[in-house]
Amino acid sequence: MPQAPQRRWELDALRGLMLVLMTLTHMPTMYSLPSGQPFGFVSAAEGFVFLSAFMAGRVYGKRARRDGLQAMQAAFHERALKLYLCQLALLLLAFTLIAWLGVHNRQGGVTGLLEFLFIDPKAAVVGAALLVYNPPLLDILPMYIVLMLASPWLLRRGLRHGWSGMLMVSGLVWLGEQWGLGQALYGAAVELTGLSIPYKDTGAFHWTAWQALWIAGLWLGARTEPLPRMPLWLLVPAASYALGMLAWRHIAGQAPLPWLPAVDMLLNKWSLGPMRVLNFASVFIVLVSAGPWLVRVLPRVQPLELLGRHSLSVFCAHIVIALFTLAFFGSTQVVRPWSTDVTLLLAAFAGLFAVALLGEERDRKGWQGMLPFLSARSTTH
């Protein structure tokens, strides 16, 4: 029986770190804003999407070479279905209990987040099921699902014909987004279908930009040879740029130069502005270069590895916890004692680790091992 690819603990730890940063950012506490983008003008979302694509290329690329392209495609579709069911579960929770709690508790953070649901419930429900209406916090998985559905074709073409042409087209699409390609496509869709969902409610992430990050990660993950050693002429400017952006971020804050909108466009998160892409690329080059040394000298952080091994479950759990926190305690605009916010964060991370530990037990024992009464019942029938 073929063996599954061996896990790389450092990648699990990195994914776990991304989940911690996303939780700190999405939990509506006084620590949300300071926790965002701690490594420069690059967020945990970029790291999480890129790592997910890299792992997909690595795992499913090996699957394609070992079991064939059809097996690879089936595995991608199975994963996409699982993601879609998770999204439906999150939407069901948000559109029912969370929406009711937001109205009942008069919490504007929730009612604002689900604004279009209150305006046009029918269009919101249908649009959300079709991955067109994507309210804040619930707009990452839809992009992930669509990219996973496209990945079998991308990976097949890359393995058969090489990646150069696809990377070039992907880069051109990303470039088009810098001049509003996504909004132009949305306008065309409105004219053709009469779509009633506002552009801002289709999700904060501009898919025409983020596809480039996904395809780059997929390509690197599918490579059979290790990543090349970075030459000094590339490493030195990359390290200088990463360090400069890190200093700029912590001196200027989240908004680099608020009085110059052009700079904000160059560093825009949702459309992956050019300076932001360079920031991500520079951090990537530094990590790839320093990675082997860091793996040798740094201690393994088992809690981060645990979160990373169960990234989907933990990701969904952090969304659920953030939604309930918004519904009961309000948004970041609500002034609370620092001790309350610390307690909320400690409770959130306790919940995430509980979910990860349950996932670990499930992987080790299976569902019947976790629920002995089920196996006991099955033996009596």
Side-chain angles (χ1 to χ4, degrees):
M1 185 175 179
Q3 294 182 346
Q6 186 179 4
R7 297 196 72 96
R8 291 179 57 179
W9 64 266
E10 66 272 22
L11 295 182
D12 283 334
L14 269 177
R15 284 210 287 188
L17 176 61
M18 297 304 109
L19 287 164
V20 167
L21 292 175
M22 281 193 283
T23 303
L24 287 170
T25 304
H26 292 157
M27 283 289 291
T29 69
M30 66 176 67
Y31 306 103
S32 173
L33 192 61
S35 302
Q37 307 185 135
F39 305 118
F41 290 102
V42 58
S43 71
E46 288 99 314
F48 192 76
V49 169
F50 181 82
L51 279 172
S52 298
F54 181 87
M55 293 299 293
R58 180 171 179 263
V59 172
Y60 296 115
K62 287 184 178 181
R63 182 72 177 269
R65 287 185 285 267
R66 186 188 67 203
D67 301 330
L69 295 173
Q70 290 299 321
M72 175 270 291
Q73 179 172 309
F76 262 120
H77 289 168
E78 182 181 347
R79 182 66 173 176
L81 176 61
K82 185 175 183 180
L83 291 167
Y84 182 66
L85 293 176
C86 290
Q87 177 69 1
L88 289 183
L90 290 172
L91 289 169
L92 179 63
L93 175 69
F95 288 0
T96 55
L97 181 57
I98 297 298
W100 179 82
L101 285 171
V103 173
H104 182 266
N105 295 335
R106 298 182 180 179
Q107 294 292 0
V110 166
T111 54
L113 182 143
L114 298 172
E115 180 184 16
F116 184 69
L117 174 69
F118 296 109
I119 295 172
D120 192 341
K122 183 178 178 181
V125 170
V126 174
L130 295 174
L131 306 181
V132 178
Y133 168 50
N134 302 306
L137 292 181
L138 299 168
D139 55 355
I140 300 179
L141 279 183
M143 178 176 69
Y144 193 4
I145 293 163
V146 171
L147 291 171
M148 286 291 285
L149 288 173
S151 290
W153 181 86
L154 296 170
L155 193 54
R156 181 187 293 110
R157 184 168 181 82
L159 293 174
R160 282 180 171 174
H161 306 292
W163 292 85
S164 301
M166 196 179 341
L167 289 168
M168 186 178 300
V169 171
S170 175
L172 289 173
V173 173
W174 166 82
L175 192 61
E177 176 54 41
Q178 307 311 304
W179 276 272
L181 174 62
Q183 191 153 7
L185 293 174
Y186 166 82
V190 169
E191 286 193 13
L192 287 172
T193 65
L195 181 69
S196 62
I197 299 169
Y199 182 65
K200 67 180 180 63
D201 291 311
T202 59
F205 295 89
H206 297 178
W207 296 2
T208 44
W210 283 72
Q211 55 75 31
L213 189 63
W214 179 271
I215 291 175
L218 199 67
W219 161 56
L220 291 172
R223 289 165 55 98
T224 52
E225 63 274 11
L227 294 175
R229 185 183 180 89
M230 300 295 173
L232 204 59
W233 62 263
L234 182 61
L235 178 59
V236 170
S240 302
Y241 187 80
L243 187 61
M245 297 299 275
L246 177 67
W248 187 10
R249 153 66 183 93
H250 288 285
I251 292 171
Q254 296 278 12
L257 294 175
W259 59 90
L260 283 178
V263 174
D264 180 66
M265 289 176 62
L266 292 173
L267 285 166
N268 188 270
K269 174 180 177 178
W270 312 118
S271 60
L272 288 180
M275 289 180 67
R276 192 179 192 89
V277 171
L278 282 175
N279 197 173
F280 181 84
S282 65
V283 172
F284 173 76
I285 290 168
V286 171
L287 281 178
V288 167
S289 301
W293 175 76
L294 291 172
V295 167
R296 287 196 306 271
V297 301
L298 290 180
R300 291 179 62 169
V301 186
Q302 301 286 349
L304 290 182
E305 292 179 46
L306 175 66
L307 294 178
R309 281 197 299 273
H310 303 281
S311 57
L312 178 58
S313 301
V314 172
F315 177 85
C316 293
H318 109 275
I319 295 292
V320 171
I321 293 169
L323 287 173
F324 274 109
T325 306
L326 281 167
F328 282 106
F329 293 92
S331 67
T332 54
Q333 305 303 316
V334 177
V335 178
R336 294 183 292 265
W338 68 267
S339 55
T340 301
D341 281 357
V342 168
T343 302
L344 288 173
L345 285 175
L346 289 175
F349 283 113
L352 297 188
F353 280 108
V355 168
L357 287 170
L358 283 173
E360 199 82 348
E361 284 297 296
R362 179 200 61 207
D363 290 347
R364 192 165 63 91
K365 298 180 179 180
W367 288 113
Q368 285 196 336
M370 292 177 63
L371 304 171
F373 69 92
L374 287 179
S375 57
R377 284 190 62 183
S378 66
T379 58
T380 60
H381 292 284

